[in-house]
Amino acid sequence: MIKTTYPPSILQYIPFFFVIWSDDLLTLSEIAVVKKIIDEDQNLSKKDRETLNSWLNTAQPPLDTEIKSWQRAISNSGIKLVESDNHPLTSFSKKLISQNGSEHIFNENLSAIEINLGIQPNHYHHLFEVEVVLEKTSHFYDPKEIDQIFKGTYHREIDEFRDALSASIFSWEIIQNKEEFRKKVLSQVQYLAKTGYGAMAYPEAYGGTGNMSLYATIFENLMYVDGSLTVKFGVQFGLFGGSIQKLGTKKHHDRYLTAIGEAKLLGCFAMTETGHGSNVRGIKTTATYNKEQDNITIHTPGKNDNKEYIGNALHGTMASVFAQLIVDGKNHGVHAILVPLRDSENRLMPGVRIEDNGYKLGLNGVDNGKIWFDQVKVPRENLLNKYGDIKSDGTYYSDIKNPNKRFFTMLGTLVGGRICVAKGALSGAKMSLAIAVKYALQRRQFNDNLKIQEDLIMDYPSHQLRLTPAIAKCYVYQVTLDSLMKIYSDDSITDKRKIETQVAGLKAIITWFANETIQECREACGGKGYLLENRIADLKGDVDIFTTFEGDNTVLLQLAAKGIMSDFNTEFNSAGFSAVFKLLGTQISDKLVTINPLYANKVDKEHLYNPKFHQHAFDYRTRRLTYSAAMRIRDYIKKGVPTYQAFLKVQTHLIALGKAYSCELAYNTYLQFTETIEDKKNQELFQKLGCLFALSEIREDASWYLEQGYLGGTKSKAIRQRVERLSTEFRPHIEVLVDGFGIPDHCLTAPISR
């Protein structure tokens, strides 16, 4: 029998009040929850009710001696707290008064406090001096259901592909020699080609299914096997084959696509040059039409004009070479021409020189190289002529008369590649998070003198805060990229400029996020994360380059910002400025109102968790940055500063705008998606993850919001606390959340994840 001064009617509330006051959980809205439970408890006397309500007075909190007496009542009970109970704290309270034979007065509604205040094991692990029967993870959510939500329409095909990855050829191993590594990766690509996965995005006539979205999903799942395989697969079937599919016409498709899909014709995508990376329009390689011979001469004119960092360069026999097309002395801009690199005996063709790029930070299973062309002649038919052609009479013709529009239409073919790059990087982050979480659910470290064993590192709030928001971001970014790929794959949308702007920004923020997350996971796993066998080190090296290939992130964010400011106006892309003045007219008439101080410091849970607040915060940031950037540029122009120089002066501003726009786009896309989830339980889970994403993003840019007066110090602090709180609330479900990524068990080979 417990000897205490508290009657059972009050004793049952003691564990809750002890957690509340020891862990600083109370806000006004949460006080209201507790008061409601007390007010509706018919077994409380007037005096009991007054006592309990007095303990909810934040202006005059309970004395330390009172709180210590609560602790004694709990510690002396001898009761175990069982985490696997549906509501552990409520069950503990019931057992507490049952010892007094008073279970008949127990208030079952106490569980509402546990639920509404989000009380989790973290809130009492280090408070209760009782034995806690630990539960590594909750099974309230089903990871298969989460994975199913992500897979959507193609669940059967995705499952079949993941099963196919269990073949021995895909077994992961440490290979330090690049020649051996490349040989293995090539064999894997050829294996995938034989099973039909290489041609997935091509039309049925060429062995495919015409399904670009499914191809992108296959690409991202390959990251769970190996980064080099993923990139080699993307170069062969996505970039090389995709350039022929998107820029070529039927004659090219008939001649090449089937062989490419079967990996019988290996090829390169030769765009980047040593002297020109992101500025595709400025590349120096020339493709000069010779009317007398009816052929095209491909030539690398200068020292740094060679093609650089070209994947498949050592294995490829043909390349899609991007060059300045010159017809009858006139430069018609960048076009793609198919150029043979090697003959049937695998010898380099005359005029072609290729050098190995050598060892890299990662992706050493990919054969990157440099390519030079010295007056290499190819037939006129090798011009990929969907958007620009040389007719039989030797004249140039294009349906798109505006050369700028033609250039950006052709570059629109890169959008699919950029989505895939972002998806691949995201898979690297997901893989790292899965490994780090599973390790944290096994690794124990530190304790106090009263505990038999050390604590799981996943139970430390600091560990939750470093991993959980990243998991939420993975959910948001996955949904966003899937949505964009669906739009990009819609052939009825011929003008891809808007989605090019969107993908440019998202590719940047997601690949940066992936690298930051992988590094965080490496550190979260300590020395074990540094071992090659545990995969994170390889992911770190492999995903690093994703920030600069398919477009340098800093450049892409400026591209996105210019697209936003011009409202996707083509004239802006040709350095015209009328679009900005048009934008200024609408922005000035739609004034950005001063934020009400009451709003800037509103901290109740209902407001901070409300998607309307998140949307308003993101929209405000994007509009404010757009308006202020345009005003700054206009002021420079009025002073006589050339347009190009005006943009350089606001370059960092444009980057901030690109990030803000991309974040808002991702959140709004995700929010719309959650409304389509039919199962209420899973819908609420996804919405809560969206909330954590939004608050994390606002918290990370709190300095900007504070500068603008959008947030007050009180609200900024409350958001920080809510991010920590949500991270803790997800702790029981953390393994389920990473299992929901759908990473096959046979791919999750890191020993520390087992």
Side-chain angles (χ1 to χ4, degrees):
M1 188 72 69
I2 302 172
K3 298 193 183 300
T4 177
T5 55
Y6 301 112
S9 54
I10 287 183
L11 185 61
Q12 63 184 320
Y13 286 84
I14 294 298
F16 292 90
F17 277 90
F18 182 59
V19 171
I20 284 168
W21 286 109
S22 299
D23 217 25
D24 192 26
L25 290 171
L26 278 182
T27 64
L28 289 175
S29 59
E30 289 158 343
I31 288 173
V33 171
V34 182
K35 285 181 73 70
K36 185 173 185 293
I37 301 300
I38 294 170
D39 292 342
E40 293 177 356
D41 190 343
Q42 299 301 312
N43 292 309
L44 291 175
S45 66
K46 183 180 179 182
K47 184 179 178 182
D48 291 342
R49 194 168 277 110
E50 287 174 354
T51 299
L52 291 170
N53 281 321
S54 72
W55 292 344
L56 292 173
N57 185 357
T58 53
Q60 193 174 351
L63 298 172
D64 289 344
T65 52
E66 187 83 69
I67 294 175
K68 286 180 180 177
S69 70
W70 298 344
Q71 186 183 41
R72 282 194 297 272
I74 294 166
S75 300
N76 295 336
S77 68
I79 298 170
K80 295 180 181 179
L81 194 146
V82 183
E83 281 190 6
S84 59
D85 288 342
N86 285 336
H87 303 107
L89 201 57
T90 306
S91 299
F92 183 85
S93 287
K94 190 170 187 177
K95 294 170 188 173
L96 195 61
I97 66 167
S98 294
Q99 289 190 339
N100 287 305
S102 304
E103 63 268 23
H104 61 284
I105 67 166
F106 181 71
N107 184 1
E108 296 287 352
N109 291 329
L110 282 169
S111 61
I113 300 177
E114 194 167 356
I115 295 167
N116 284 286
L117 270 67
I119 297 175
Q120 300 291 340
N122 278 85
H123 297 123
Y124 45 72
H125 266 165
H126 303 280
L127 297 174
F128 287 11
E129 292 183 6
V130 300
E131 183 179 345
V132 179
V133 181
L134 300 172
E135 182 183 37
K136 191 173 85 166
T137 188
S138 167
H139 299 287
F140 183 72
Y141 298 106
D142 185 346
K144 291 182 180 178
E145 291 179 8
I146 295 172
D147 185 32
Q148 182 71 21
I149 290 169
F150 282 128
K151 288 184 295 190
T153 309
Y154 305 120
H155 59 92
R156 183 179 57 81
E157 292 88 345
I158 294 169
D159 286 341
E160 287 177 357
F161 179 69
R162 287 174 177 170
D163 288 342
L165 295 180
S166 63
S168 58
I169 194 172
F170 297 116
S171 61
W172 187 83
E173 58 184 323
I174 298 171
I175 304 177
Q176 298 283 46
N177 180 282
K178 63 180 170 62
E179 278 70 32
E180 290 180 24
F181 197 177
R182 291 172 177 179
K183 186 177 179 182
K184 178 175 182 177
V185 170
L186 176 60
S187 68
Q188 291 173 329
V189 168
Q190 292 168 331
Y191 179 91
L192 289 167
K194 288 178 183 176
T195 50
Y197 289 111
M200 184 67 67
Y202 305 156
E204 289 185 18
Y206 308 107
T209 62
N211 195 328
M212 183 65 185
S213 292
L214 188 55
Y215 166 85
T217 302
I218 287 168
F219 180 91
E220 69 184 83
N221 275 271
L222 284 174
M223 277 299 294
Y224 303 141
V225 177
D226 182 76
S228 291
L229 168 60
T230 309
V231 171
K232 180 92 166 177
F233 180 90
V235 167
Q236 169 66 19
F237 307 114
L239 290 178
F240 175 56
S243 66
I244 294 173
Q245 181 188 5
K246 298 290 185 180
L247 299 178
T249 50
K250 190 175 185 299
K251 63 182 179 182
H252 302 111
H253 301 166
D254 290 346
R255 186 170 182 180
Y256 300 113
L257 277 187
T258 300
I260 293 170
E262 294 174 350
K264 292 178 180 176
L265 172 62
L266 298 176
C268 312
F269 185 84
M271 176 180 281
T272 300
E273 295 179 355
T274 301
H276 282 85
S278 298
N279 182 19
V280 177
R281 184 181 279 178
I283 59 175
K284 298 297 184 181
T285 299
T286 57
T288 306
Y289 176 63
N290 313 298
K291 189 172 183 179
E292 295 76 15
Q293 293 87 31
D294 193 28
N295 60 21
I296 299 171
T297 300
I298 310 298
H299 186 62
T300 304
K303 179 182 177 183
N304 292 319
D305 301 331
N306 60 284
K307 299 301 178 180
E308 171 81 80
Y309 222 89
I310 306 304
N312 251 358
L314 282 300
H315 293 154
T317 56
M318 180 175 281
S320 289
V321 178
F322 287 76
Q324 304 287 351
L325 181 63
I326 300 169
V327 180
D328 199 20
K330 182 179 179 181
N331 188 339
H332 293 277
V334 177
H335 288 64
I337 303 96
L338 295 177
V339 181
L341 300 178
R342 292 178 171 85
D343 61 21
S344 57
E345 302 297 320
N346 208 36
R347 295 170 300 199
L348 286 174
M349 298 293 284
V352 176
R353 179 161 65 95
I354 297 177
E355 287 184 8
D356 192 339
N357 271 125
Y359 282 96
K360 300 155 291 189
L361 177 63
L363 300 176
N364 283 303
V366 181
D367 50 321
N368 294 101
K370 304 175 184 180
I371 308 177
W372 289 261
F373 300 99
D374 184 7
Q375 306 293 341
V376 176
K377 289 181 168 50
V378 298
R380 171 170 59 90
E381 287 73 20
N382 283 27
L383 171 67
L384 297 178
N385 60 337
K386 183 174 183 179
Y387 298 110
D389 196 11
I390 302 172
K391 297 194 292 186
S392 57
D393 63 0
T395 59
Y396 179 82
Y397 174 80
S398 175
D399 289 330
I400 305 172
K401 303 304 178 186
N402 185 316
N404 294 310
K405 185 177 181 181
R406 182 167 65 242
F407 174 74
F408 283 101
T409 300
M410 290 200 304
L411 279 194
T413 60
L414 289 175
V415 171
R418 283 180 180 155
I419 298 174
C420 285
V421 165
K423 276 175 162 278
L426 189 62
S427 289
K430 290 191 288 187
M431 182 82 157
S432 297
L433 283 165
I435 294 167
V437 164
K438 289 177 181 294
Y439 179 58
L441 290 170
Q442 300 174 53
R443 176 81 159 93
R444 295 182 180 275
Q445 189 162 277
F446 301 113
N447 66 355
D448 56 38
N449 294 329
L450 297 170
K451 295 190 176 178
I452 297 170
Q453 59 180 342
E454 295 177 293
D455 293 319
L456 288 170
I457 58 175
M458 197 70 250
D459 287 328
Y460 288 106
S462 59
H463 213 75
Q464 294 156 9
L465 188 60
R466 72 197 305 190
L467 298 180
T468 314
I471 293 171
K473 289 185 180 184
C474 284
Y475 274 64
V476 172
Y477 291 149
Q478 181 70 54
V479 166
T480 303
L481 291 173
D482 287 343
S483 173
L484 283 184
M485 181 53 81
K486 187 175 181 181
I487 296 169
Y488 170 73
S489 302
D490 186 348
D491 291 332
S492 67
I493 303 173
T494 54
D495 191 341
K496 305 288 187 183
R497 282 172 295 174
K498 181 174 181 178
I499 195 170
E500 182 184 353
T501 295
Q502 294 174 332
V503 172
L506 284 165
K507 183 266 181 184
I509 66 168
I510 291 172
T511 53
W512 269 330
F513 158 76
N515 275 277
E516 291 164 6
T517 299
I518 294 169
Q519 175 63 23
E520 194 67 61
C521 291
R522 207 294 297 156
E523 294 179 30
C525 294
K528 288 291 186 182
Y530 201 60
L531 292 173
L532 286 178
E533 68 175 13
N534 287 320
R535 305 289 299 274
I536 296 176
D538 256 12
L539 289 166
K540 183 173 161 58
D542 290 349
V543 174
D544 187 283
I545 192 63
F546 284 39
T547 61
T548 51
F549 77 53
E550 289 295 314
D552 176 274
N553 285 355
T554 301
V555 176
L556 289 181
L557 283 175
Q558 293 173 75
L559 170 67
K562 288 180 180 180
I564 298 156
M565 292 178 67
S566 65
D567 199 22
F568 316 115
N569 191 310
T570 310
E571 189 175 2
F572 191 86
N573 288 319
S574 58
F577 209 67
S578 62
V580 174
F581 288 118
K582 179 182 176 184
L583 173 71
L584 278 172
T586 59
Q587 287 283 15
I588 291 170
S589 62
D590 177 25
K591 291 186 186 296
L592 291 163
V593 297
T594 304
I595 297 298
N596 187 315
L598 290 175
Y599 181 87
N601 283 295
K602 196 172 184 181
V603 296
D604 61 279
K605 175 182 175 181
E606 287 69 22
H607 169 67
L608 294 180
Y609 284 13
N610 193 328
K612 289 183 179 178
F613 160 59
H614 309 148
Q615 288 181 301
H616 188 273
F618 293 146
D619 176 63
Y620 179 88
R621 182 173 59 175
T622 303
R623 289 198 301 137
R624 171 64 74 181
L625 287 167
T626 304
Y627 175 76
S628 54
M631 288 293 287
R632 288 180 65 195
I633 294 170
R634 185 189 69 168
D635 290 344
Y636 284 125
I637 297 291
K638 287 171 70 176
K639 292 174 184 175
V641 176
T643 303
Y644 178 72
Q645 291 299 323
F647 274 108
L648 289 183
K649 286 180 176 293
V650 300
Q651 200 169 41
T652 55
H653 196 142
L654 293 177
I655 292 168
L657 171 57
K659 289 179 180 177
Y661 169 79
S662 303
C663 172
E664 181 183 7
L665 173 64
Y667 181 71
N668 287 337
T669 303
Y670 181 80
L671 209 57
Q672 291 170 8
F673 175 81
T674 62
E675 294 171 2
T676 67
I677 300 174
E678 295 178 359
D679 180 80
K680 191 70 175 174
K681 183 172 74 172
N682 287 322
Q683 183 187 53
E684 289 175 353
L685 171 65
F686 272 68
Q687 288 170 341
K688 192 173 182 180
L689 287 163
C691 179
L692 179 55
F693 168 88
L695 292 179
S696 296
E697 287 289 336
I698 295 169
R699 172 178 175 256
E700 287 170 17
D701 207 12
S703 58
W704 184 88
Y705 283 108
L706 286 163
E707 288 170 6
Q708 305 300 316
Y710 187 87
L711 296 182
T714 304
K715 191 169 188 173
S716 179
K717 179 181 177 182
I719 289 172
R720 174 177 56 78
Q721 290 172 332
R722 285 292 165 185
V723 170
E724 294 174 5
R725 177 75 170 277
L726 282 168
S727 297
T728 294
E729 289 181 19
F730 279 118
R731 160 59 186 93
H733 316 291
I734 195 85
E735 186 169 34
V736 171
L737 292 178
V738 295
D739 285 344
F741 293 151
I743 303 172
D745 285 341
H746 45 266
C747 293
L748 204 57
T749 56
I752 58 171
S753 68
R754 296 295 181 181

